[in-house]
Amino acid sequence: MHLSRDVVLLISHSGDFFTIDRVAEALSKKGAQPFRLDTDKFPLEVQLAAHFDKSKSYHTIEYNNQSISTEQVQAVWMRRIWEPQLGKELAPKFREACIKESKATLNGFWDSLKGATWVDNLERIDYAGSKLRQLRVASEVGFTIPQTLVTNKAEAAREFFKQVNGKMVSKLLTTLSYSMEANSSFFLYTSTVKEEDLQDAESLRYCPMVFQEQIPKQQELRVAYVNGNVFVGALNADVYATAKADWRKPGVEVGAWQHHQVPDEFVRRLQAFMGKFGLLFGSLDFILTPSGEYVFLENNPVGEWGMLEKDLDLPISDAIADALLQTNN
């Protein structure tokens, strides 16, 4: 089936659910035609053709018995790009080359959609993904940030531990590969650091890490930002006391998300922060301290927000649909 109405391309993967369904539903209600592209299904189940000649270029893509060309796409939601699922029948010696070529082909497809409205632009997502750049910009717009040390020097980590009176957590600047995640626990999520952890920390010379002061928590906030709108969910820190460092760990019972009203000044700073990166969407983490101070932790430009809409009935998918259907920029 060839779609004829204005198309909004939803870039995701086959294991995605709820959030992508809610955005697709919101778009349909507003008269747009959502087209879901599961990137892990390319190239085995998604057919793509790129056409170039002297006067014009365009791509066509077929998936789930539907077909579109880039000329129909008015907007793109960058939800997630996934590794291609290549069958076991493919010889390992060809796998890497096939994945590389598939990614390069998809990159050409994204490039052909530069005239569409993106939530968000890939280059901006990449730029905004730097955790250290985020800390710098957050501080510049007036947010409080944790004392932070990034180092590959064991002695510097031990000195910092003393500086923050033994209240320290560790984290990574980047996401581990999927194969590494299965075998790693301590360094995958934000983890509390004990003095004995630093006694033999010479392995830091192979891989620098982020160390931060541990901020006292009254609540943890997950903030979904959509084109100037702010949607906030809060967790009481005492509900998950056994895993206070990171509520996102598998198996951590986080209790119920609660509504939370942030001050106007917080919203203005957040709008300034997102404006510095040119982003329409972000999923941000903050700590509200017992003294009432909001402390910025990080922003994930393609982060999760489904639990906020599901548990708190916040209209985030509707706001994303509105952002996608605004006048092309």
Side-chain angles (χ1 to χ4, degrees), residues 162-183:
K162 294 175 187 174
Q163 184 183 328
V164 298
N165 299 314
K167 301 291 186 182
M168 188 166 91
V169 297
S170 66
K171 59 173 70 173
L172 295 170
L173 286 177
T174 59
T175 303
L176 291 173
S177 70
Y178 303 120
S179 59
M180 290 176 72
E181 286 180 15
N183 302 311

Side-chain angles (χ1 to χ4, degrees), residues 241-286:
T242 56
K244 274 191 174 180
D246 199 331
W247 57 264
R248 294 164 296 183
K249 286 182 180 178
V252 172
E253 182 55 58
V254 297
W257 287 94
Q258 303 171 15
H259 289 278
H260 183 87
Q261 186 73 38
V262 292
D264 291 344
E265 183 60 29
F266 178 100
V267 174
R268 285 193 290 271
R269 286 173 179 165
L270 184 52
Q271 289 170 337
F273 174 86
M274 297 298 285
K276 294 261 190 181
F277 290 104
L279 293 175
L280 295 176
F281 175 84
S283 187
L284 303 99
D285 291 325
F286 287 83

Side-chain angles (χ1 to χ4, degrees), residues 15-310:
D16 198 10
F17 65 100
F18 186 76
T19 50
I20 191 163
D21 296 332
R22 294 297 287 260
V23 170
E25 183 182 344
L27 287 165
S28 296
K29 286 180 179 177
K30 296 174 189 294
Q33 175 66 64
F35 182 96
R36 174 174 177 162
L37 173 59
D38 293 322
T39 49
D40 57 320
K41 296 298 184 182
F42 180 76
L44 288 189
E45 295 179 38
V46 177
Q47 287 75 50
L48 186 151
H51 307 265
F52 298 88
D53 62 32
K54 291 179 180 178
S55 58
K56 66 173 184 175
S57 65
Y58 65 97
H59 286 61
T60 57
I61 199 158
E62 298 173 42
Y63 181 48
N64 278 341
N65 297 316
Q66 293 183 318
S67 172
I68 59 167
S69 75
T70 47
E71 298 160 318
Q72 296 171 264
V73 178
Q74 70 174 85
V76 182
W77 182 35
M78 176 45 66
R79 163 77 177 147
R80 200 77 93 231
I81 295 177
W82 221 245
E83 286 273 302
Q85 289 182 2
L86 300 175
K88 292 182 179 179
E89 69 276 6
L90 182 66
K93 63 181 178 179
F94 298 127
R95 180 176 298 273
E96 186 177 341
C98 291
I99 289 175
K100 190 176 178 182
E101 288 299 304
S102 296
K103 287 180 176 179
T105 302
L106 283 179
N107 283 339
F109 182 46
W110 313 144
D111 181 72
S112 73
L113 295 165
K114 283 191 177 294
T117 296
W118 283 70
V119 179
D120 267 302
N121 177 290
L122 276 167
E123 287 83 3
R124 290 177 183 173
I125 288 174
D126 288 343
Y127 181 80
S130 166
K131 304 297 188 217
L132 302 185
R133 184 178 291 124
Q134 289 179 19
L135 288 173
R136 174 178 61 78
V137 173
S139 181
E140 287 175 359
V141 302
F143 280 127
T144 300
I145 62 172
Q147 287 187 74
T148 303
L149 169 73
V150 184
T151 188
N152 63 338
K153 186 179 178 182
E155 187 56 39
R158 287 190 280 265
E159 284 296 320
F160 187 72
F161 185 85
K162 294 175 187 174
Q163 184 183 328
V164 298
N165 299 314
K167 301 291 186 182
M168 188 166 91
V169 297
S170 66
K171 59 173 70 173
L172 295 170
L173 286 177
T174 59
T175 303
L176 291 173
S177 70
Y178 303 120
S179 59
M180 290 176 72
E181 286 180 15
N183 302 311
S184 175
S185 57
F186 183 76
F187 292 131
L188 177 55
Y189 299 95
T190 301
S191 305
T192 303
V193 179
K194 300 181 178 64
E195 191 165 14
E196 54 264 33
D197 296 326
L198 296 172
Q199 288 173 359
D200 184 25
E202 300 307 319
S203 60
L204 279 175
R205 66 195 182 101
Y206 296 104
C207 180
M209 286 198 68
V210 183
F211 299 99
Q212 288 183 327
E213 63 173 318
Q214 190 165 27
I215 305 296
K217 302 174 184 178
Q218 178 178 312
Q219 290 184 313
E220 283 211 49
L221 306 182
R222 171 55 61 97
V223 180
Y225 174 96
V226 188
N227 197 21
N229 301 296
V230 177
F231 306 92
V232 185
L235 290 174
N236 286 334
D238 56 2
V239 174
Y240 59 106
T242 56
K244 274 191 174 180
D246 199 331
W247 57 264
R248 294 164 296 183
K249 286 182 180 178
V252 172
E253 182 55 58
V254 297
W257 287 94
Q258 303 171 15
H259 289 278
H260 183 87
Q261 186 73 38
V262 292
D264 291 344
E265 183 60 29
F266 178 100
V267 174
R268 285 193 290 271
R269 286 173 179 165
L270 184 52
Q271 289 170 337
F273 174 86
M274 297 298 285
K276 294 261 190 181
F277 290 104
L279 293 175
L280 295 176
F281 175 84
S283 187
L284 303 99
D285 291 325
F286 287 83
I287 288 173
L288 177 62
T289 69
S291 63
E293 186 173 37
Y294 291 92
V295 180
F296 172 91
L297 295 181
E298 63 181 75
N299 174 36
N300 187 333
V302 292
E304 296 300 331
W305 50 267
M307 63 284 196
L308 304 185
E309 180 154 324
K310 185 171 181 288

